[in-house]
Amino acid sequence: MEKKGTILSGMRPTGALHLGNYFGALENWVRLQNEYECFFFVADYHALTTGYENTDDFKDNITSLLVDWLAAGLDPEKCTLFLQSSIKEHAELHLLFSMNLPLSWLYRCPTYKDQISQMKDKNITTYGFLGYPCLMATDILVYKADFVPVGEDQLPHIEMTREIARRFNFLYNTEVFPEPQPLLTKAKVLPGLDGRKMSKSYNNTIALSDSPDVVKKKIMSMVTDPARIHKTDPGHPEVCSVFAYHKLFSESIINEIEQDCRKGEIGCVACKKKLAENIAQMMTPIYERRLEWLKRTDDIRDIILEGNKRARVIAERTMDEVRKVMKIDWI
Ligand code: TRP
Ligand code: SF4
């Protein structure tokens, strides 16, 4: 099949993926691998920008991320999976971009300002963290990606990538770098178990690595509409996280659940049981494939070695062009 262009995206290996990550990104990647030439990579350099102090879990986190990807359906026959730090061209291009990247662009970046004020407990007032968007631009441009599927929070980084490409092309009077487009999908938003944003730091996640039993327990302990004390009390699904989950997992019976809740004809326990069943139906196959891949870490290593090889060919080709137009190819 004719592919619709090149796609590149990455995730930082920061621990087990949760359902929020799955619906926000991974599910979409699995679909995209059929339509585009896709490169998906583990952004381990990026993980260092905020987590440089303790790298003890680093390798386990990378393995766990790859296991999640493969279990969710990324297929190394259809897409290229690789490790950022294996391709040294990322580091080289990052250095070269840093020579002409105005500091004001980096200080102005909204994600930089947000993170600096949010992560007061971590010392991230570093050169590396300030350069996060520069590194991300490198990832994208070294493969000359046409499209970058990301969440809305990453849009400023894509915009800066386009500016970095434009600036480079202008300075060296070249057309080496095309300007990539973000690929925003209507991501399905799944709140955390407590109704806030699903996030590891809130301890309100369902991980892809949670066993079906654990998932069930988590669902059964969710807080529902506080106005309902008796089963027959009329409920307000709009304030209930269980209902928000049903919207994603129980599409075919969603109207029925809403009406039964409002009329006080279904109890919260029964309602949650139904949800737990539907979630299990979707998650159990992923969980089982996860267990299989966990036994095959040598094969996963081979998959990455192979992906690295494919990625490297492209990155090396781009760097040859870059050195040539910058005249740093004396030898
Ligand atoms: N910054 C991205 C995130 O936190 C991860 C990432 C790093 C990325 N490099 C990238 C995403 C290149 C897309 C393209 O989600
Ligand atoms: Fe929430 Fe279901 Fe209880 Fe209604 S019946 S409040 S949707 S758990």
Side-chain angles (χ1 to χ4, degrees):
M1 190 187 79
E2 187 64 31
K3 302 262 175 150
K4 292 197 265 179
T6 302
I7 274 189
L8 173 123
S9 199
M11 283 188 204
R12 283 168 296 152
T14 49
L17 287 188
H18 53 65
L19 278 184
N21 304 129
Y22 178 78
F23 287 115
L26 194 48
E27 191 195 32
N28 189 32
W29 289 12
V30 171
R31 205 161 27 78
L32 292 170
Q33 66 180 343
N34 298 313
E35 300 164 32
Y36 295 84
E37 183 70 42
C38 287
F39 293 82
F40 298 122
F41 70 98
V42 178
D44 56 346
Y45 281 153
H46 275 95
L48 281 178
T49 62
T50 53
Y52 58 85
E53 271 165 308
N54 184 347
T55 54
D56 290 349
D57 295 336
F58 225 68
K59 290 193 195 177
D60 286 346
N61 285 345
I62 293 173
T63 310
S64 145
L65 183 61
L66 290 168
V67 167
D68 284 339
W69 282 6
L70 291 161
L74 286 187
D75 178 351
E77 305 271 309
K78 294 182 182 168
C79 63
T80 300
L81 304 176
F82 70 96
L83 182 65
Q84 185 184 30
S85 65
S86 299
I87 315 296
K88 304 305 176 201
E89 283 71 14
H90 289 242
E92 185 184 356
L93 188 57
H94 176 258
L95 176 85
L96 295 179
F97 280 160
S98 79
M99 299 302 167
N100 63 55
L101 179 53
L103 274 175
S104 60
W105 292 14
L106 296 170
Y107 282 123
R108 217 173 41 212
C109 184
T111 52
Y112 177 73
K113 291 193 263 183
D114 280 0
Q115 299 262 53
I116 288 285
S117 66
Q118 265 173 35
M119 302 222 263
K120 289 230 166 67
D121 51 324
K122 278 192 193 169
N123 180 5
I124 53 167
T125 52
T126 57
Y127 178 49
F129 184 69
L130 180 66
Y132 189 109
C134 177
L135 185 56
M136 189 159 155
T138 300
D139 303 333
I140 298 167
L141 295 175
V142 87
Y143 302 100
K144 303 189 181 188
D146 300 306
F147 304 102
V148 188
V150 282
E152 237 169 277
D153 61 314
Q154 297 292 313
L155 285 181
H157 296 157
I158 308 295
E159 195 46 48
M160 201 186 303
T161 301
R162 294 164 57 84
E163 284 169 338
I164 289 174
R166 226 175 288 147
R167 183 169 169 82
F168 184 95
N169 290 346
F170 169 76
L171 283 172
Y172 302 106
N173 192 20
T174 173
E175 286 178 7
V176 169
F177 293 118
E179 289 182 35
Q181 303 279 348
L183 202 64
L184 271 183
T185 34
K186 289 174 257 89
K188 300 176 197 159
V189 181
L190 189 72
L193 290 163
D194 55 4
R196 294 187 289 175
K197 181 181 174 211
M198 189 179 277
S199 159
K200 260 197 308 253
S201 48
Y202 294 151
N203 203 9
N204 63 359
T205 67
I206 298 178
L208 293 184
S209 54
D210 285 341
S211 71
D213 274 352
V214 169
V215 176
K216 187 160 182 210
K217 282 203 192 92
K218 286 186 175 177
I219 299 295
M220 296 313 289
S221 62
M222 281 172 82
V223 174
T224 64
D225 176 1
R228 294 197 82 195
I229 308 204
H230 305 291
K231 199 162 119 178
T232 49
D233 293 339
H236 308 84
E238 65 279 3
V239 302
C240 175
S241 316
V242 176
F243 188 70
Y245 278 43
H246 270 302
K247 281 192 204 155
L248 275 185
F249 293 97
S250 318
E251 239 177 320
S252 62
I253 50 165
I254 192 70
N255 292 334
E256 193 182 322
I257 293 173
E258 175 163 9
Q259 282 168 19
D260 289 354
C261 173
R262 286 195 197 285
K263 287 193 266 173
E265 285 176 0
I266 181 173
C268 291
V269 173
C271 185
K272 288 190 212 176
K273 271 201 183 130
K274 202 166 269 179
L275 175 64
E277 269 167 36
N278 292 346
I279 291 192
Q281 212 172 58
M282 181 240 129
M283 285 188 74
T284 305
I286 296 182
Y287 182 74
E288 282 171 358
R289 286 199 293 268
R290 237 190 149 274
L291 294 183
E292 288 307 308
W293 279 111
L294 275 175
K295 289 186 236 154
R296 298 177 53 193
T297 44
D298 283 349
D299 292 337
I300 297 181
R301 207 181 120 81
D302 288 342
I303 289 170
I304 295 307
L305 284 172
E306 187 52 40
N308 283 349
K309 249 192 242 166
R310 275 188 261 165
R312 194 171 291 124
V313 171
I314 302 174
E316 279 175 354
R317 205 189 300 144
T318 305
M319 285 318 294
D320 282 343
E321 293 178 65
V322 166
R323 286 186 217 104
K324 197 155 163 230
V325 298
M326 289 183 83
K327 318 271 185 330
I328 48 165
D329 57 345
W330 191 76
I331 270 180

